[in-house]
Amino acid sequence: MSRLKLPPWLVLLLPAIIILMAVVLVPLVLSFYSSFTAYQLTRPDSLTKWIGTFNYRKAAGDANFWWAFGRTVLLLTIALNLEMLLGLGLAVMVSKVTTGQRLLRTAMMFPMMFSPVLVGFQFKFIFNDNVGLVNNALQSLGLTDVAIPWLVDGHLAMFSIIFAEIWTSTSVFAILILAGLYAIPQDPVEAAKVDGCTPWQSFRFVTLPFLMPFIYIAMAIRSLDVARAYDIVQIMTNGGPARRTELLWTLIGRTAYVDARMGYANAMGYIAILLSIFFTIYFFRKLTAARSELGMGV
């Protein structure tokens, strides 16, 4: 009886394939299956109770789900645009520095090195009503007489979360845009100067088009991060006050682990994944268009 002999390349890849199946494929299949069941953490036997697309239809008609989706899109829109503008400005300024540029590039990366959990605790303290640094600074400067409820008021709480997101992730845009600035060919820039273009015209019509592929890459990466934002929101506000800052994944986490409705939470999670894929496809199409305009192919 001949023994099955695997090709050498498959033997080398087999451990990685087994690990990926164990930690990625099996949980994905199980969670996808459970999204079609009435699975509850408090009732393990409910995993076998098949209810079809009921969870998906329930999520599609759930006002809380769509409010959380709207807040997630709001956070994504504001955070991405501000991070892009601030990162662009920071990258341009750093590129103009002639002494100590390496030190500035290193310092610029510090915020992105912090864990989101640590950033959440940090800004929860900074925006604290009583002992927070922001309120103490405003009161010391005489700009306000009373403590501002940054994390209690619905609008201010969302502003605080957006501020924390921008602080921790602007450096992602800055690093990628700075790499784009170093990669720009100097011939078009010099030609623009010879033709009498102002610095703004050179930046707007020569530099910026070359930077757009790098900007769209950063937006694609950050859109996935913001769309699944959980740590910072959970620690700073826990979705409050009165669910005013509850995003998609904080709602999914609450549904799964507080309400114990794991099947319904998984259904909402797969809808959220589809929405994230939509934003990713959008930014990659913009990236492809920007590369085509520069003659860089697809």
Side-chain angles (χ1 to χ4, degrees), residues 6-172:
L6 299 176
W9 63 267
L10 183 57
V11 174
L12 292 173
L13 291 177
L14 196 57
I17 293 173
I18 294 174
I19 292 173
L20 284 175
M21 290 182 63
V23 302
V24 177
L25 184 60
V26 173
L28 276 176
V29 172
L30 182 60
S31 63
F32 185 68
Y33 164 77
S34 67
S35 69
F36 295 97
T37 67
Y39 181 41
Q40 298 182 26
L41 289 178
T42 54
R43 296 175 54 195
D45 59 310
S46 60
L47 183 60
T48 59
K49 186 177 180 181
W50 184 267
I51 58 174
T53 59
F54 176 79
N55 286 329
Y56 290 91
R57 288 184 277 111
K58 183 178 179 181
D62 189 347
N64 288 328
F65 175 80
W66 291 110
W67 275 111
F69 169 72
R71 294 187 201 99
T72 304
V73 173
L74 176 67
L75 175 65
L76 189 147
T77 303
I78 296 176
L80 282 187
N81 283 283
L82 289 179
E83 287 173 15
M84 186 271 290
L85 293 174
L86 293 173
L88 178 61
L90 188 60
V92 171
M93 287 190 292
V94 170
S95 68
K96 300 297 183 182
V97 175
T98 56
T99 304
Q101 188 178 110
R102 183 175 299 177
L103 179 62
L104 285 176
R105 291 200 305 265
T106 304
M108 192 167 59
M109 296 176 64
F110 278 166
M112 62 186 292
M113 296 178 184
F114 288 97
S115 164
V117 174
L118 181 60
V119 173
F121 279 115
Q122 171 183 307
F123 280 95
K124 185 176 183 179
F125 170 75
I126 290 174
F127 288 109
N128 186 273
D129 297 357
N130 300 316
V131 297
L133 297 178
V134 174
N135 276 335
N136 283 335
L138 293 175
Q139 290 174 348
S140 298
L141 294 172
L143 299 177
T144 180
D145 297 327
V146 295
I148 300 174
W150 294 102
L151 301 178
V152 178
D153 181 89
H155 299 293
L156 294 177
M158 182 58 74
F159 165 81
S160 303
I161 291 171
I162 291 173
F163 188 91
E165 281 283 349
I166 291 172
W167 180 86
T168 191
S169 299
T170 295
S171 54
V172 176

Side-chain angles (χ1 to χ4, degrees), residues 84 88 173 176-177 208 211-220:
M84 186 271 290
L88 178 61
F173 279 86
L176 288 173
I177 293 173
L208 190 58
L211 293 179
M212 291 310 298
F214 296 89
I215 291 174
Y216 285 129
I217 290 172
M219 283 192 166

Side-chain angles (χ1 to χ4, degrees), residues 260-276:
R261 295 182 293 169
M262 184 62 74
Y264 182 44
N266 284 332
M268 290 194 292
Y270 276 98
I271 295 175
I273 289 172
L274 291 176
L275 296 172
S276 299

